[in-house]
Amino acid sequence: MTNHTPMMQQYLKVKSEYEDAFLFFRLGDFYELFFKDATEASQILEITLTSRDAASGNRIPMCGVPYHAAAGYIETLVHKGHKVAICEQTEDPRTAKGIVKREVVRVITPGTITEGKSIDTNMNHFIGAADIIDEANYALAYLDLSTGEGKVQYVEGDERTLIAEIETLGMKEVVVGESLHIALSDNMAKRNIVLSIESGAENLETTENVPQDVMEACSKLVSYVKRTQKTALEHIQPFKFIHKQAKLSIDANSMRNLELVQSIRNSTKEGSLYWLLDETVTAMGARKLKMWIHQPLADMIEIKKRQEAVTELIEEFFLKDELKTSLKEVYDLERLAGRISMGSAGGRDLAQLRNSLRRVPEIKNLLSNSNRPLLQEFAERIDTCSETRSVLETGITENPSITIKEGGVIKDGFDAKLDTYRDAAKNGKVWLAELEQQERVKTGIKNLKIGYNRVFGYYIEITKSNIHLADLERYERKQTLANAERYITPELKEKEDLILNAEAEGLELEYVLFTQIREEMKAHIRKIQQLASVLSELDVLLSFATVSENQNYVKPSFHKGKALEIKNGRHPVVEKMMDHALYVANSCKLTDEANMLLITGPNMSGKSTYMRQVALIVVMAQIGCYVPCESASLPVTDQIFTRIGAADDLASGQSTFMMEMMESQHAIANATEKSLLLFDEIGRGTSTYDGMSLAQAMMEHIHNEIGANTLFSTHYHELTNLDQELVRLENVHVAAMEQDGKVVFLHKVMKGAADKSYGIYVADLAGLPTPLLNRAKELLEQFESAKTAPIESNEPEQLAFFDLNSEQQVTVSKEETEVLTNLQDKDVLNMTPLSALQYVFELKEKLSSRKG
């Protein structure tokens, strides 16, 4: 410390308390960073790295950003997974004795950032906290700081299950204790999720619905948030416990495979179920829709209640449009309440709150007058917050300025003193002219005038020849000139202070009045949040009604059994992205006697689309929406597990096959008889026999041990014989036909197994060279012949088979037999075009070298 100046000693002391964050240290109009912070930040932010002298004579690395432009730089650092501690000057430099006092006023972290260009207001931005309950259970709490919405749940399983749930909710930061920090740090770092340790615990009010053993995670989370934000945060709501039995669980992998909230192709909203269903008109409605998709219902009563509300809205066509029109005028009440609580709300925020509350009575009246039971129930749940609106109507102007300290936020007439300041600032010259005229009348001095200079301020000037007419008891001499005297009166002195300081003091008073109104609004936060919850729910149901009506969806029915029947179902997203008239609908029927379908058919024929459409219809039905089909009778599904698509997990260093096996293990370990399993071409990542054996073993295990509704697609045609052994298994195939030497995909699911895979035809469609395709056909003929040909026992080194064209027996050498055996074991149907070409070339080289 002695090697540094007093200011740098102050910096180092503050920095020692925030070692894990970039410290933005306020110096005048800049935030400065020093030492390692400066070196690293200059590279990340691409700003100039400079240096300053230390007391020891050494140079200290430093860089800085202007305080008024700091938000963008802070957001960049946080977006890259860093924390930023904001250290402000907490006393006026003009009155400070010695070094200006400074302290950290807020720590911005990946989980607590609430404003910025990267923050999507249409989605929740959760920070989480995890706690170990026992060997097989975790508590996971999560909070959206911008809205105050908090939830907590059990996570059953191992660390991988916990991480999957954290990924599903899109968390960027998780608060843990030291033991979990050690266990999770490597995996979280690979996924760019920040782990933060918190030893404190906040005393939270408990409710009957929240188990005591999950409250530790909630307490730890709130303690961390309050410690970093350094404010009371009245808008944080009591945590809501999510019962596993009350929701349809969908893990992160299945969310991705089914493209529920973002497209696999480009990782954007477009092409997802969320994109399809999002006809919401408020940001809070869009967030609620996304959470409903994340956590569909598994309670039949609640599902049917949502369905009935959608039905009422569809049937009330004009009311639906009127409600949407009114809701469009409602701003994001949840985030406005959050800004009020955190003290960051400006004049425009309060004006938006007031303008939103103006629309609420008409929404309530529309619902009340609908004569529809559930819509009337919505009306009863709406509190118009009339008292809140009254305060805002009285105090806040129609169009406040952007920043609070610019003025123009408080209405005229709200405060008499402020009105006086404003009047003085606006009408000071008029008032002085009127005073001048009054004094001329009183004294009879026609050339009396009121002037101003910076030394003496305002004064009344009278020529010496007229001094005898002045009321010297009332006039106080200020300055003597050669031919005139300057005076001041108590009235002018009072007005002088008022006029000169009116603008500055008016702005200061206006800021005080605004903060008083904002503080008063904190008492109304709970009512605002409750109103937001009702209106956002209404917005989502209106969205369901709009989409269902526009896309010709139908209301599904539910039962307590396991049978699933969808008549002429359609993949909702694919249908929207193509011509509806061209879409081929497909039915799916699972019964108690046959609830496992083995699906065969060529690549590109639509097997994966068919499987996904069944899962999407289940999800849509259980969030309360109508579904794309002619009719649907469904069970209440508790979990959906998928293994669709092949991709390496680069973050974890896992191969495609390893990921396939891990995802399959997760599904098999956690599925129940009420679950829905989708397995697409299991085993294709390994050799043919290994893959086929694994696929059959999985099917047998699911059939005999779990009993879940299952859709299982495969290219292993040998597996189609399993319907003879597994009584609840049925074969179906996606039809295709040959026409003029080309394959035509019919995209129609039909009973029975496929007779051909058409792999070479698909390669033809992909544009592979004709010589390569012809060679592939030759090899395929040899492969199929070799599979059925008898082996000559007296020629152990030769393989005999029949030429398909001549029926003449052919013998091949031992070397050629090796090539054929290699070909037989190769899964050629699942090779990439490039690897197929390379493989054919290698085989040809081997044969050529033998002949040579």
Side-chain angles (χ1 to χ4, degrees), residues 450-469:
I450 295 178
Y452 170 82
N453 67 36
R454 293 187 177 182
V455 178
F456 295 104
Y458 286 102
Y459 53 83
I460 297 173
E461 184 174 294
I462 302 174
T463 58
K464 288 187 176 181
S465 60
N466 291 316
I467 289 176
H468 65 284
L469 298 175

Side-chain angles (χ1 to χ4, degrees), residues 9 27 157 211 246 277 285 358 414 423 441 518 552 595 758 779:
Q9 290 178 27
L27 290 176
L277 295 179
R358 286 173 178 171
F414 180 75
D423 184 65
V441 172
R518 186 171 64 189
N552 195 30
N595 71 327
Y758 299 98
L779 292 170

Side-chain angles (χ1 to χ4, degrees), residues 501-792:
N501 299 312
E503 186 172 358
E505 292 187 7
L507 291 174
E508 187 176 333
L509 176 59
E510 188 168 359
Y511 178 75
V512 171
L513 293 171
F514 173 79
T515 55
Q516 288 174 353
I517 294 175
R518 186 171 64 189
E519 196 67 25
E520 187 178 349
M521 286 295 102
K522 290 183 178 181
H524 301 257
I525 284 176
R526 284 288 178 265
K527 284 188 175 182
I528 296 169
Q529 289 175 326
Q530 289 166 3
L531 174 62
S533 179
V534 177
L535 294 182
S536 60
E537 185 178 338
L538 177 62
D539 192 12
V540 178
L541 294 173
L542 281 165
S543 182
F544 288 170
T546 300
V547 173
S548 298
E549 191 171 30
N550 292 344
Q551 301 295 327
N552 195 30
Y553 294 167
V554 300
K555 180 180 177 180
S557 63
F558 283 91
H559 57 81
K560 294 183 179 179
K562 194 157 63 174
L564 178 151
E565 184 170 5
I566 299 168
K567 185 176 180 181
N568 287 328
R570 312 183 301 274
H571 189 298
V573 179
V574 174
E575 180 188 37
K576 183 176 180 179
M577 299 183 81
M578 66 181 289
D579 187 342
H580 173 80
L582 298 177
Y583 190 88
V584 179
N586 277 300
S587 299
C588 179
K589 186 174 183 180
L590 302 175
T591 65
D592 290 334
E593 295 74 28
N595 71 327
M596 178 180 282
L597 295 184
L598 180 59
I599 309 165
T600 50
N603 282 318
M604 293 178 57
S605 62
K607 297 191 301 296
S608 297
T609 300
Y610 174 69
M611 296 169 73
R612 285 189 174 102
Q613 93 179 23
V614 173
L616 289 178
I617 287 173
V618 169
V619 171
M620 290 173 68
Q622 291 192 209
I623 62 176
C625 188
Y626 282 21
V627 294
C629 59
E630 289 183 12
S631 65
S633 176
L634 306 170
V636 176
T637 301
D638 66 353
Q639 300 174 93
I640 293 178
F641 297 98
T642 69
R643 174 54 225 175
I644 300 175
D648 294 349
D649 184 348
L650 299 179
S652 300
Q654 305 291 355
S655 69
T656 298
F657 182 64
M658 176 58 78
M659 286 302 301
E660 183 176 312
M661 291 300 100
M662 289 173 68
E663 290 171 9
S664 300
Q665 182 276 334
H666 177 66
I668 290 171
N670 293 281
T672 72
E673 64 176 355
K674 293 183 178 180
S675 302
L676 175 63
L677 305 183
L678 308 180
F679 286 102
D680 188 21
E681 299 180 27
I682 289 295
R684 62 182 169 183
T686 185
S687 69
T688 301
Y689 293 130
D690 277 355
M692 192 167 16
S693 302
L694 284 166
Q696 178 170 337
M698 285 185 192
M699 292 172 67
E700 290 174 350
H701 181 85
I702 294 168
H703 181 277
N704 298 329
E705 304 298 330
I706 301 174
N709 287 341
T710 305
L711 303 183
F712 204 109
S713 75
T714 186
H715 277 298
Y716 300 133
H717 290 265
E718 294 84 350
L719 296 179
T720 57
N721 296 325
L722 282 174
D723 64 343
Q724 305 299 314
E725 302 175 26
L726 305 180
V727 296
R728 295 197 310 278
L729 173 70
E730 283 192 354
N731 282 309
V732 297
H733 69 281
V734 186
M737 61 178 291
E738 294 180 53
Q739 188 175 44
D740 299 327
K742 301 291 183 180
V743 64
V744 178
F745 299 121
L746 302 180
H747 303 295
K748 194 67 180 176
V749 177
M750 305 177 73
K751 288 188 175 183
D755 56 351
K756 296 180 70 175
S757 72
Y758 299 98
I760 294 176
Y761 291 98
V762 174
D764 189 10
L765 289 175
L768 265 67
T770 300
L772 183 151
L773 295 171
N774 291 336
R775 178 58 177 156
K777 290 175 183 177
E778 293 174 12
L779 292 170
L780 180 62
E781 289 174 357
Q782 294 177 21
F783 172 66
E784 290 177 339
S785 299
K787 282 172 62 178
T788 58
I791 298 177
E792 298 291 332

Side-chain angles (χ1 to χ4, degrees), residues 154-201:
Y154 289 117
V155 176
E156 299 177 3
D158 56 14
E159 291 168 7
R160 191 154 52 90
T161 310
L162 175 63
I163 292 170
E165 190 66 22
I166 288 169
E167 285 190 293
T168 299
L169 292 163
M171 298 178 195
K172 299 297 183 185
E173 182 177 11
V174 180
V175 179
V176 294
E178 290 189 9
S179 58
L180 258 185
H181 188 276
I182 295 170
L184 299 177
S185 56
D186 288 345
N187 278 321
M188 291 301 199
K190 292 172 182 176
R191 290 166 169 79
N192 296 318
I193 299 173
V194 174
L195 278 183
S196 300
I197 296 178
E198 177 61 32
S199 56

